[in-house]
Amino acid sequence: MEMNELAVLGGIWMSLLYSATVVPASVWVIQLTVSRGWLCGLACSLGLTLGQLPWAITAAAVLFQFPGLWQTLDLGLRALAAGFFIWMALRSARAPAVRGLHVETDAGTWALIKSSFWRSLVMPWRLPLWAGLIISISVHLTGPGWGLAPQFGLGALAGQMGWFAHFVLIAGLFGRRVPEDISLRSINKLRLLATVVLAGLALIILAPVAFPPAP
């Protein structure tokens, strides 16, 4: 398989892990879809996805480009990434439960895209999140080159839009047909999913340190 294709597939896979950890974004998409319909849910999804894209491409470009440096700093990078994921896992586990499905907003489609874009873009912790995801698969040690960052970003774009589209579809079909308390129980399980994914990523990142490969 060509490196370009691998970069796109890697972006898709990483974006699914990324999306599983960013619970508020998924909840917001679900709430907007239930409250305003499919088009508003998709508009919000597009804005959120485009807002995280610069962080994904930046993290990939930096970590893909300097394998010699990252090999030297690998232990420190892994410690920082694992600590960040553990912090996020604790934050997710302690997050308040979602109390309602409906939100009050009269913003149009374009306004929702813009507001969701800026909401996603101004979250600077998205950069260490993307960096940690890349470190978890150790691709920073092989140095595929910054030129593959746009392909990685393309995969991230496709993967996150697919993640959100799945919630828009479910919320659009069943959001008003299923009793709200049942829907809320399902939505609140996303916090558990995020906590498990984040804790698992911390363990994966530290595994090469605890169990170094045989020489």
Side-chain angles (χ1 to χ4, degrees):
M1 187 176 291
E2 296 290 336
M3 289 297 295
N4 288 341
E5 296 171 343
L6 286 173
V8 173
L9 290 175
I12 293 173
W13 171 239
M14 292 293 98
S15 72
L16 296 178
L17 291 175
Y18 168 91
S19 300
T21 66
V22 187
V23 174
S26 299
V27 172
W28 180 239
V29 167
I30 293 169
Q31 289 174 326
L32 270 178
T33 304
V34 173
S35 302
R36 298 282 307 279
W38 298 40
L39 184 59
C40 288
L42 288 173
C44 174
S45 302
L46 180 60
L48 291 170
T49 301
L50 292 175
Q52 58 82 35
L53 191 58
W55 299 119
I57 293 177
T58 299
V62 173
L63 288 172
F64 286 4
Q65 183 59 29
F66 307 105
L69 175 62
W70 305 136
Q71 288 167 16
T72 303
L73 301 176
D74 187 46
L75 180 59
L77 287 177
R78 290 183 185 276
L80 287 172
F84 176 74
F85 282 133
I86 291 170
W87 172 76
M88 284 199 63
L90 293 173
R91 184 171 175 264
S92 177
R94 296 174 179 174
V98 180
R99 300 297 184 186
L101 273 180
H102 298 277
V103 293
E104 296 295 333
T105 176
D106 57 358
T109 303
W110 178 239
L112 283 174
I113 293 174
K114 289 193 296 183
S115 63
S116 299
F117 171 82
W118 288 111
R119 175 181 293 195
S120 182
L121 183 66
V122 300
M123 294 292 183
W125 55 263
R126 297 189 189 281
L127 180 60
L129 178 53
W130 274 109
L133 289 168
I134 293 171
I135 291 169
S136 72
I137 57 174
S138 298
V139 72
H140 62 296
L141 302 178
T142 61
W146 66 269
L148 290 177
Q151 290 90 327
F152 180 85
L154 178 63
L157 179 69
Q160 192 172 36
M161 276 304 296
W163 172 273
F164 285 141
H166 139 265
F167 283 118
V168 170
L169 178 62
I170 293 175
L173 289 175
F174 305 110
R176 298 185 180 181
R177 301 177 185 178
V178 176
E180 185 168 346
D181 60 328
I182 295 176
S183 296
L184 288 173
R185 280 201 297 270
S186 298
I187 290 173
N188 283 310
K189 290 178 182 177
L190 291 173
R191 293 180 303 153
L192 176 60
L193 173 63
T195 303
V196 171
V197 169
L198 289 162
L201 284 167
L203 292 175
I204 290 171
I205 286 172
L206 293 177
V209 179
F211 306 100

